[in-house]
Every structure is written in structure tokens, then in C-alpha cells.
Amino acid sequence: MQISPSILSADFANLQAELDAIRSADWAHVDVMDNHFVPNLTLGLPVVESLAKVSPVPLDCHLMIDDPDRWAPGYVEAGAESVTFHVEAAADPRGVARTLRGLGARAGMAIKPNTPWAPYEDLLPDLDMVLVMTVEPGFGGQSFMADQMPKVRAVRESVRRFGGEVWIQVDGGVSAATVEQCAEAGADVFVAGSAVYGKDDVPAAIAELRALVAAHAHP
Ligand code: DX5
Ligand code: ZN
């Protein structure tokens, strides 16, 4: 059970201090948006490279960008230990995943709320993580989509059948109020932006999420 706070809700003028505040987390979730795949623009390679140099925890880059086939490998070179691309944007998802692994990173594949899981099940041997979006990607602070829980269960079932160790991440609207149902459905990596950085006591917010999911660890 791992917690990956999203710095999208952090103070972008003080990112080093904001990363220091989440040293009790497992990862720092970095949302890369290109204003094409999603209608929002955040940061890219040079910023990720700078963050990787100062972060106390490894970077979990979530690429909400077009053409990850071309751009995703650069994020490994920039220092990200986990790179997640969107299957909707990839021409060759298996190829992207294999390239990421070949460069030494964990390969994650994200699926938007309206994207079904079944067509991609056979990609599992090439993946380290599946990210089931629980909001439409693009912005922090949106409402959690509980209707994505059956998809989390379906991915968990596929991973069980496959037999390998593939993490399942949830991202969007994850908070103390919604994190338990994610864990119950089979998620094991929890991204939270506003539910962590929106709190006065950031370490306490991380500890609270950890305590809530600890009771729901899947076998
Ligand atoms: C949304 C991003 C999320 C975002 C989550 O497109 O992928 O990582 O930061 O923010 P919250 O936790 O506030 O929904
Ligand atoms: Zn994200």
C-alpha cells in the first residue's frame, strides 16, 4: 500500500519545500500536461529533471500528453523512476512500456474513465502499474468517480490471473472519504493531490490515508 501525493496541488513557486513536506510518502506524483491530450498545461522535462535532483522520494510521472511514444523515454532520462503514459495517446502501448523498462524505469499505463480495460489486459506482462483514473484527467480537486471501482476490480482480477506483480494506482478525488473503497476494490497505490496539499498538516494527511488503506490490503 503506497501513497503518492500529487504536487499539482502544491505551491509551484516552492516545489523543493513542497517535496520535503511529503518525505513520509512513497512517491511524488508529477502530473505532466501538454494542453493537447488534456486542456491544461503544467510542466515538462526541464522541471522534472530539477525535481528529481532534490526530491526525497522517487518521482512517479503521470504523462497526460500526446505522442508518449516519442516523449515518454525522456522522462526516465530526466530522473523519473516510474513513468505512466495514457493508452489513449499511445500508438504502440506495448512498445512504450518495453522502452520504459529497457531504460530502467517502472512502466505504468493509464486509462481514462471512458476507456474500457478488457482490450488492454494482454499488455500486463509488459507493465509494472495500471493507473485507473477516477476523474477525467486535467485538473486537481475534482469529485471522485465511484463508478470506476468495477474497473479497478477487473484490473485486479486480471493481475491475479496473470500472476505477476503489477501495481494498481488510482488518481483523482482520492481522499480520506474515498480511499478505502479504492483499497477494497484492489488498488494499492493511491494518488492524492488536494487531500494532501490542501491540508495544513501534510504529514498527518499522508499518515491518515495510510492508516485507512492499511486495513484493506489485498492478499
Ligand atoms: C488529474 C491528475 C491528478 C490530480 C489529482 O488529472 O492526474 O493527479 O493532481 O488531484 P486530486 O487528488 O485533487 O483529485
Ligand atoms: Zn495524476
Side-chain angles (χ1 to χ4, degrees):
M1 294 300 199
Q2 305 186 64
I3 309 292
S4 185
S6 166
I7 62 165
L8 186 60
S9 294
D11 176 0
F12 270 36
N14 293 294
L15 286 175
Q16 185 169 5
E18 295 284 63
L19 287 170
D20 281 338
I22 59 163
R23 54 174 63 253
S24 62
D26 300 282
W27 298 87
H29 185 83
V30 180
D31 290 299
V32 176
M33 306 187 190
D34 66 352
N35 220 7
H36 289 269
F37 182 71
V38 289
N40 195 6
L41 185 67
T42 54
L43 51 83
L45 284 171
V47 177
V48 169
E49 206 175 335
S50 296
L51 295 175
K53 285 183 191 141
V54 301
S55 181
V57 289
L59 302 187
D60 160 35
C61 272
H62 175 195
L63 305 182
M64 285 160 277
I65 61 171
D66 280 343
D67 203 5
D69 305 71
R70 175 175 174 188
W71 298 110
Y75 287 85
V76 183
E77 283 147 20
E81 291 191 24
S82 176
V83 176
T84 300
F85 61 93
H86 268 269
V87 68
E88 302 88 356
D92 175 16
R94 196 185 297 277
V96 179
R98 286 184 175 171
T99 301
L100 291 171
R101 279 183 162 182
L103 290 169
R106 296 183 59 87
M109 188 179 81
I111 45 182
K112 296 205 285 183
N114 290 326
T115 303
W117 161 246
Y120 306 108
E121 196 181 12
D122 64 340
L123 293 173
L124 277 178
D126 293 296
L127 297 172
D128 297 297
M129 186 167 79
V130 176
L131 164 50
V132 177
M133 290 301 300
T134 43
V135 296
E136 280 301 331
F139 300 92
Q142 302 183 78
S143 301
F144 178 77
M145 295 170 68
D147 63 356
Q148 296 303 302
M149 294 303 98
K151 195 191 287 178
V152 174
R153 286 179 204 283
V155 178
R156 175 53 64 199
E157 188 46 43
S158 300
V159 170
R160 198 167 281 144
R161 258 183 279 127
F162 163 56
E165 216 213 289
V166 184
W167 298 347
I168 302 176
Q169 186 177 64
V170 283
D171 179 12
V174 175
S175 69
T178 59
V179 76
E180 287 167 294
Q181 57 185 291
C182 297
E184 241 152 47
D188 48 17
V189 188
F190 307 88
V191 176
S194 45
V196 169
Y197 282 108
K199 297 282 165 59
D200 290 332
D201 190 339
V202 165
I206 293 168
E208 184 185 16
L209 292 174
R210 257 195 215 293
L212 287 169
V213 296
H216 298 279
H218 65 87

